[in-house]
Amino acid sequence: MTDDDAAAEGRQEPPRRDHGNDGGGRPLPAWRRPTGGEHRYPAAFAVLVAVALQLSVPAHLALHPRWVLPAVELALVGVLAIANPGRINRESSRLRALGLALVAAASLATAWSAGLLAWSIVTGHGAPSAVGLIINGGAIWLTNVIVFALWYWELDSGGPAARANARRAHPDFLFPQMGMPHLTHHDWEPRFIDYLYLAFTNSTAFSPTDVMPLSRWAKLTMMSQAAVSFLVVLLVIARAVNALR
């Protein structure tokens, strides 16, 4: 760890090392105590799927040169995998900055494609057939789900490394297992798949389902995702129906 990382960590809250019980004889749940952290490969695999979806959309819906942002995303995920290949429990300001830069690059590519798709539908320029429109819209919609899942995963309670070290007492998202600890194992803690589920249900229901946002940034981010998803779905379906007539 570099001096810069050590200095940055020195400004963070000290980890909570409470390994006791919850007052009822049960050990503290994993999301409230330091743990070994989660593996990086689920999030890394999701990034690879997002890159593949970005490359699958037509050239007129991509940011040019179209290989730049996918190449940046692959390079960043490669650096993160090399720097911290196992469980994510090492806190580093530089690694965190790289992780956020990765999600920002994926967000830019997705937002650009979604904006161009909406523009082409509204103006009628370059609009494909109904089948092509549904395929392209579906790819952008699914990429949007993955991107917001990465945002939730990277930001909730300070990120995966901070969650592993139990840096914060209060989470940004309330999962059902947190409110009903008697119905789940004490080793449960939120992993990437939980945030992917959150992003998917928010994109389909356009509102929280069983996972509640607690902080203001979480509410605003979920609101933004729901708005983008609603716009894409509404425009694609409306245009596809009109093209089929």
Side-chain angles (χ1 to χ4, degrees), residues 41-55 73-74 77 146:
Y41 64 83
F45 179 74
V47 173
L48 296 180
V49 173
V51 169
L53 290 171
Q54 291 167 6
L55 294 175
E73 295 168 44
L74 292 176
V77 77
I146 295 174

Side-chain angles (χ1 to χ4, degrees), residues 8-16 91 165-170:
E9 292 177 18
R11 293 190 295 269
Q12 296 175 345
E13 301 176 27
R16 295 179 288 111
E91 293 186 79
N165 291 299
R167 288 286 181 187
R168 299 184 182 178
H170 303 101

Side-chain angles (χ1 to χ4, degrees), residues 184-219:
T184 189
H185 197 274
H186 69 275
D187 285 335
W188 183 91
E189 59 183 321
R191 302 292 176 92
F192 177 75
I193 189 66
D194 299 294
Y195 297 101
L196 182 62
Y197 168 80
L198 164 63
F200 181 84
T201 55
N202 190 47
S203 282
T204 52
F206 311 123
S207 65
T209 52
D210 60 339
V211 182
M212 295 293 107
L214 301 180
S215 61
R216 291 185 177 91
W217 76 259
K219 294 176 181 180

